[in-house]
């Protein structure tokens, strides 16, 4: 009896520790969602009131030659590198990458994750489009643009879309790995790409720093929101399936009796 009680207590303790670990993820993602929304709204308010203009100008010029603001800091080849990095956040490359990933998921009959990726990134792109139309902030006029742009400035579509897309893909990848080190590496890689793309938008003279910061914040918040919704639906589906199995089991026992 004593041995049985000890085994039961240890089993309950292990189960409780596992449940607490599983609960950490949603709590962290919820915190990222809340902070991202708050940061975006705070930046948007500063932009609307024009109070961030001086800081934007100072940070923008910090990446350029003091004697010639049209010339970015660094050798000429650095401009080429910036253009190649910024392409990682362009609609064309993101669309190609997502098409390849979604195609693989569909072929392997993982329709749920495929739909999650499409809805997460697609809705993020729509949010970026509508917000640009709403704020209609002019592009920086302190230097020539080193990349072609067709839309308004706030928020940065590259920063927002890159953050949503690569965090969504990271969330998809880490589902297949239980090792915390692997998960952190995948998440870190997604964040590095997002940050690098955002910095190049300022370096190339097509965005104010606040545009990029707002894009990062809202992108992280949107990726967190879609992950939470997908996880909630998955949990609900699992609960319904479990209830259905229990119900069938109960019916079978009644019939045997």
């Amino acid at each position: 009896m004593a041995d049985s009680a000890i085994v039961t207590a240890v089993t309950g303790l292990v189960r409780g520790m596992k449940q607490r670990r599983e609960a950490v993820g949603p709590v962290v993602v919820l915190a990222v969602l809340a902070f991202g929304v708050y940061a975006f709204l705070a930046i948007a308010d500063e932009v609307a009131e024009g109070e961030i203009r001086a800081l934007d100008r100072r940070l923008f010029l910090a990446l350029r030659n003091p004697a010639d603001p049209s010339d970015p800091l660094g050798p000429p080849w650095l401009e080429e590198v910036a253009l190649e990095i910024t392409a990682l956040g362009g609609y064309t490359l993101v669309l190609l990458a997502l098409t390849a990933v979604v195609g693989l998921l569909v072929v392997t009959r993982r329709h749920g994750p495929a739909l999650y990726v499409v809805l997460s990134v697609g809705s993020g792109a729509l949010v970026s489009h509508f917000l640009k139309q709403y704020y209609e902030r002019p592009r920086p006029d302190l230097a020539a643009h080193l990349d072609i742009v067709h839309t308004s400035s706030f928020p940065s579509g590259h920063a927002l879309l890159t953050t949503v897309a690569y965090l969504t893909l990271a969330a998809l990848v880490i589902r297949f790995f239980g090792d915390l080190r692997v998960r952190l590496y995948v998440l870190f890689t997604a964040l590095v790409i997002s940050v690098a793309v955002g910095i190049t938008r300022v370096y190339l003279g097509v965005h104010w720093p606040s545009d990029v910061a707002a894009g990062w914040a809202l992108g992280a918040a949107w990726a967190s929101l879609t992950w939470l919704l997908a996880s909630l639906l998955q949990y609900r589906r699992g609960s319904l399936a479990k209830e259905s199995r229990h119900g069938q089991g109960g019916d079978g026992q009644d019939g045997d009796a």
Side-chain angles (χ1 to χ4, degrees), residues 133-154:
Q133 289 189 327
Y134 177 78
Y135 287 102
E136 293 186 337
R137 189 186 194 188
R139 295 277 179 170
D141 55 359
L142 300 180
H145 299 163
L146 301 181
D147 192 20
I148 299 174
V149 291
H150 304 286
T151 59
S152 56
S153 192
F154 185 88

Side-chain angles (χ1 to χ4, degrees), residues 109-113 175 229-245:
R109 299 184 183 278
R110 292 180 170 89
H111 300 104
R175 291 182 55 189
L229 291 176
S231 299
L232 181 62
L233 290 175
Q234 184 180 23
Y235 174 79
R236 179 60 178 167
R237 182 179 180 182
S239 298
L240 291 175
K242 186 180 296 185
E243 291 175 3
S244 177
R245 288 195 299 269

Side-chain angles (χ1 to χ4, degrees), residues 30-182:
L30 185 60
V32 172
L33 169 59
F35 178 77
V37 171
Y38 171 79
F40 173 79
L41 292 177
I43 296 172
D45 182 65
E46 294 294 319
V47 169
E49 296 179 358
E51 297 179 357
I52 204 170
R53 174 76 178 185
L55 178 60
D56 268 337
R57 182 184 179 90
R58 188 160 57 251
L59 293 176
F60 184 91
L61 293 176
L63 297 178
R64 319 197 78 77
N65 186 341
D68 182 10
S70 64
D71 180 27
L73 293 176
W77 60 261
L78 188 58
E79 296 179 24
E80 295 295 329
V81 171
L83 285 169
E84 292 173 358
I85 292 176
T86 207
L88 295 174
Y91 282 95
T92 301
L93 191 57
V94 170
L95 181 60
L96 287 174
L98 291 181
T99 300
V101 171
V102 170
L104 176 63
L105 293 172
V106 171
V107 169
T108 55
R109 299 184 183 278
R110 292 180 170 89
H111 300 104
L115 182 62
Y116 160 64
V117 172
V118 171
L119 292 180
S120 178
V121 181
S123 60
L126 288 176
V127 168
S128 173
H129 174 73
F130 288 126
L131 287 175
K132 282 179 174 290
Q133 289 189 327
Y134 177 78
Y135 287 102
E136 293 186 337
R137 189 186 194 188
R139 295 277 179 170
D141 55 359
L142 300 180
H145 299 163
L146 301 181
D147 192 20
I148 299 174
V149 291
H150 304 286
T151 59
S152 56
S153 192
F154 185 88
S156 167
H158 274 67
L160 195 157
L161 184 64
T162 303
T163 305
V164 172
Y166 289 102
L167 284 182
T168 297
L169 293 178
L172 189 66
V173 170
I174 63 178
R175 291 182 55 189
F176 301 100
F177 296 95
D179 192 329
L180 179 61
R181 292 172 300 178
V182 176

Side-chain angles (χ1 to χ4, degrees), residues 151-217:
T151 59
S152 56
S153 192
F154 185 88
S156 167
H158 274 67
L160 195 157
L161 184 64
T162 303
T163 305
V164 172
Y166 289 102
L167 284 182
T168 297
L169 293 178
L172 189 66
V173 170
I174 63 178
R175 291 182 55 189
F176 301 100
F177 296 95
D179 192 329
L180 179 61
R181 292 172 300 178
V182 176
R183 292 186 168 194
L184 291 177
Y185 169 77
V186 172
L187 183 60
F188 176 75
T189 302
L191 291 174
V192 167
I193 294 174
S194 302
V195 170
V197 169
I199 292 175
T200 62
R201 302 310 286 168
V202 180
Y203 182 81
L204 295 172
V206 295
H207 273 296
W208 298 109
S210 58
D211 300 334
V212 172
W216 285 334

